[in-house]
Every structure is written in structure tokens, then in C-alpha cells.
Amino acid sequence: MISSESKIYVSGHQGMVGSALIRQLKNQNFENIITRTRQELDLTNQTDVRNFMQIERPDCVLMAAAKVGGIHANNVYAAEFIYTNLMLECNLIHQAFEADVQNILFLGSSCIYPKYAQQPMAETALLTGILESTNEPYAIAKIAGIKLCESYNRQYGTDYRSAMPCNLYGPNDNFHLENSHVIPALIKKVHLAKMTNQPFVDVWGTGSALREFLHVDDLAGACLKILKTPKSEYDSFVSPMCSHINVGFGEDISISELTKIICKVLNYSGDIGYDTSKPDGSPQKLMDTTLISNMGWKPFYSLEAGIAQTYEWFLANERTVRS
Ligand SMILES: NC(=O)c1ccc[n+]([C@@H]2O[C@H](COP(=O)([O-])OP(=O)(O)OC[C@H]3O[C@@H](n4cnc5c(N)ncnc54)[C@H](OP(=O)(O)O)[C@@H]3O)[C@@H](O)[C@H]2O)c1
């Protein structure tokens, strides 16, 4: 378990989740936070990660570095997704262990669950069926991360925990029109349509797929809740072979309803069309959030308020956002 005196290494601190974790840690008076940019430390390089861990010897590692993207990026860059994520997970977890790091929080994703998992998806649905093919390489790497944590816990008695967030959105997201996730891509698309008076916006897929979205600051709050929970209490929620915890909003929404909310927040009144030649991905992805709710956590942002906050951030940072 960590306290505000703990030395915390946040990997991927310039990304959406990493930067939200830093905001949350600072809000909760953590002062001993260490970070490295990718230029300073490439986490796929085993020797560099080893040297870093041996010198810094943090008390806790928050694993927010990863190669991340939406359906298109996962499809096109399948090899990069599986290679980068497996390498950085193996390096971070093993070299942290070698440097006596007792606490790790590994971040996975709801895509670890089978394509046709019973909804809402409980933690125990892991490895009970085939994965969605478009993001299988990424999901396999994320499942490996959970199993790495569990295996070190089982063999060495470490306290390595894993959180599985649903789709996230918020400040510092990637707003690339093709390679990003659905909310930032739609915000960017609708924003551009509004600015250029386009009468029409097209959305990928049929619009019927159901997805769950959580503001990244809510995820960061949940991560700290998980990390600050005493081990005996945490162990009462999980089991040695199923030790990850879902973090979700608790409700899903269709892509067409989401698009309506984004148009409303951005005050765009053009028409919406659906490009059905593009894949929908899994028909529904809603996580069972009973465990994290029972731990005493719930989200703060409604979807509309979260999108409004994200759009405000986008407008204030339009020139420098990742896209
Ligand atoms: N975004 C979501 O909707 C979502 C949903 C569920 C789970 N998650 C999980 O949350 C975590 C963070 O996601 P995110 O959305 O914050 O992604 P992100 O914004 O793309 O941030 C990822 C960070 O990782 C860094 N990174 C990637 N490869 C690296 C390497 N080889 N060495 C060092 N740093 C490296 C990136 O650095 P560069 O900027 O230099 O590339 C970036 O700062 C991931 O594990 C992801 O699976 C995200």
C-alpha cells in the first residue's frame, strides 16, 4: 500500500492517463513523483529500464505508458501494438521486481474480455472466449501484463495490482482523426465541421455499437483508491488468479447517442451519416463495476459534463494537441 511519502514513478506521464495520474497524485499531496519522457527512457530497452530502476528504486510504479489507439490504428499497426506493449510490460515489471519495488499498478483495458462476453463483463470473464479480432494483438499484450503481475505476486509475494478501465477521454487525449479513440476523433471531426460550416459529418460504423466512457480524471481517482487500499482489504476483493479490477462508468451508450451529445456540447446542428463500410468492433462493451463500487469509488463526471470539460481543454490547447 502506498502513502503520500512514497516515491512514485509514473510511466507515460505525458499521455492522457499518465498526466491525469500526476494531477491526482499532486491533489492528494504526493510530492515524491518521478517521470521520464520517452526520449529520456525508452521502456522497450531492457538495459535502460534496468539502470533506471536500480538507480531510482521507486516504492511504486504506475504503468501508464503503452502503445494505444482506436480500431484503425490497432488494425494497421498490429505488430507495433503487440511488440511495444509486451516489451515495456516485461521490462517495467521485471526490472521493478529486481529493484525491490513492492507496489505496481498495471493499466489494461476492457478489450481483454472476449468479444461475446456476457454483459456487463465481470473480471472473471477473462480468458473465457475468443477476442475481438481488430484489437487482438493489443489485448493479448494487456492480458500478459495482468498475468505478469499475478505471477510475480504468486511466486514472490509482491503486491502488483491491475486496473481495467473502459474507454477513456479527457485532457491530453490524442485527437488524430483516424488513429485516435472515438470521443476525441468525434470531437475533432464535429469541431472542424462547425468551423468550416460543413452541413454533414460522417461517423465510422453503424452507430449501433454500445460503449462505456469514463473521464480520465475519474480513472485517476480510482487508481489511487486501488493503490491506497490496504493489502488485506484488496485481497478480499480479488483472487490470486483473477486479481484485476474493472474501472468503468457503469452504463453504456450507443455511438449514435454519443454523437448526439457531442454535437449538442459543440453546438453543431449539421446532419450525421454512418459509414457502414467501417467496422463496429464488439457489439457491446460494458464492464461490471461491482468490485470497484464495493471498494467505495464512483465517478464524478456525467458523460455530457466530461465532454464539455474536454472540449474546453481542446479549445484552450488547440494548437498543441496531439493529432
Ligand atoms: N485511452 C483510453 O481510452 C484507454 C482505455 C483503457 C485503458 N487505457 C490504458 O491506459 C494506459 C495509458 O493510455 P493513454 O490513453 O494515456 O495513452 P497515451 O495518451 O498514448 O499515453 C501513452 C504514453 O506512453 C508513452 N510511451 C509509449 N511507448 C513508450 C516507450 N516505448 N517508452 C516510453 N514511453 C512510451 C507515450 O509516449 P509518447 O507520447 O512519446 O509516444 C505516452 O506518453 C494504457 O495502458 C492504456 O491501455 C487507455
Side-chain angles (χ1 to χ4, degrees):
M1 195 181 95
I2 59 164
S3 71
S4 56
E5 279 79 49
S6 302
K7 182 176 185 177
I8 315 265
Y9 165 50
V10 180
S11 74
H13 70 288
Q14 292 179 317
M16 176 171 66
V17 171
S19 57
L21 286 169
I22 301 262
R23 285 195 295 279
Q24 188 66 229
L25 285 165
K26 287 186 174 164
N27 282 345
Q28 296 196 25
N29 300 319
F30 284 80
E31 284 170 3
N32 199 354
I33 303 169
I34 48 174
T35 58
R36 292 291 184 278
T37 62
R38 184 207 286 258
Q39 289 69 33
E40 291 164 337
L41 178 62
D42 179 352
L43 296 169
T44 62
N45 184 312
Q46 187 181 34
T47 308
D48 290 352
V49 176
R50 177 177 177 78
N51 291 341
F52 166 76
M53 287 291 179
Q54 290 296 327
I55 291 166
E56 290 294 343
R57 295 191 163 266
D59 297 307
C60 175
V61 173
L62 301 192
M63 291 180 58
K67 174 123 187 106
V68 175
I71 291 182
H72 176 76
N74 269 275
N75 246 338
V76 177
Y77 308 112
E80 284 178 45
F81 271 79
I82 192 162
Y83 172 80
T84 307
N85 288 310
L86 281 174
M87 287 299 283
L88 64 81
E89 287 164 14
C90 283
N91 288 342
L92 273 175
I93 294 169
H94 184 69
Q95 298 308 335
F97 168 71
E98 291 279 304
D100 293 328
V101 174
Q102 284 304 308
N103 298 98
I104 290 180
L105 183 69
F106 171 69
L107 279 163
S109 149
S110 58
C111 71
I112 59 162
Y113 293 116
K115 179 169 183 171
Y116 299 110
Q118 193 185 336
Q119 305 289 322
M121 300 176 293
E123 286 82 355
T124 47
L126 183 63
L127 294 173
T128 57
I130 57 160
L131 297 164
E132 158 60 34
S133 59
T134 48
N135 58 20
E136 189 193 68
Y138 177 74
I140 294 277
K142 289 293 179 186
I143 294 170
I146 299 172
K147 294 298 166 188
L148 274 162
C149 290
E150 278 174 9
S151 303
Y152 281 75
N153 291 344
R154 285 167 63 198
Q155 186 171 348
Y156 301 118
T158 49
D159 189 6
Y160 297 168
R161 304 179 182 184
S162 301
M164 297 304 118
C166 63
N167 294 291
L168 303 169
Y169 65 95
N172 284 321
D173 208 343
N174 178 352
F175 288 81
H176 192 282
L177 280 174
E178 288 188 341
N179 292 340
S180 65
H181 289 113
V182 57
I183 288 188
L186 279 176
I187 288 179
K188 178 86 175 283
K189 220 177 225 191
V190 173
H191 172 74
L192 290 177
K194 182 179 152 183
M195 290 301 142
T196 54
N197 295 318
Q198 273 177 51
F200 178 85
V201 163
D202 71 317
V203 176
W204 281 20
T206 63
S208 62
L210 294 164
R211 291 290 180 275
E212 183 183 12
F213 299 97
L214 183 71
H215 191 282
V216 71
D217 286 337
D218 280 332
L219 169 75
C223 289
L224 278 247
K225 177 80 191 166
I226 289 171
L227 278 168
K228 286 170 120 178
T229 301
K231 185 168 176 354
S232 54
E233 194 184 324
Y234 187 80
D235 287 347
S236 70
F237 287 104
V238 298
S239 68
M241 305 281 284
C242 185
S243 65
H244 57 288
I245 298 246
N246 290 343
V247 182
F249 184 69
E251 286 169 31
D252 56 9
I253 183 172
S254 69
I255 298 300
S256 57
E257 285 304 315
L258 169 72
T259 308
K260 282 184 199 159
I261 293 178
I262 291 177
C263 290
K264 181 179 167 206
V265 169
L266 272 64
N267 199 18
Y268 175 73
S269 50
D271 290 332
I272 303 297
Y274 290 91
D275 180 354
T276 53
S277 69
K278 297 287 194 303
D280 268 343
S282 299
Q284 184 182 23
K285 276 169 90 174
L286 175 65
M287 295 205 299
D288 183 332
T289 50
T290 307
L291 289 187
I292 189 78
S293 305
N294 289 348
M295 285 174 86
W297 172 87
K298 62 175 194 241
F300 167 79
Y301 280 102
S302 68
L303 187 53
E304 191 167 330
I307 289 172
Q309 190 267 2
T310 305
Y311 186 51
E312 211 172 287
W313 180 89
F314 172 85
L315 289 177
N317 296 277
E318 203 179 339
R319 287 204 195 135
T320 50
V321 291
R322 279 186 293 163
S323 60

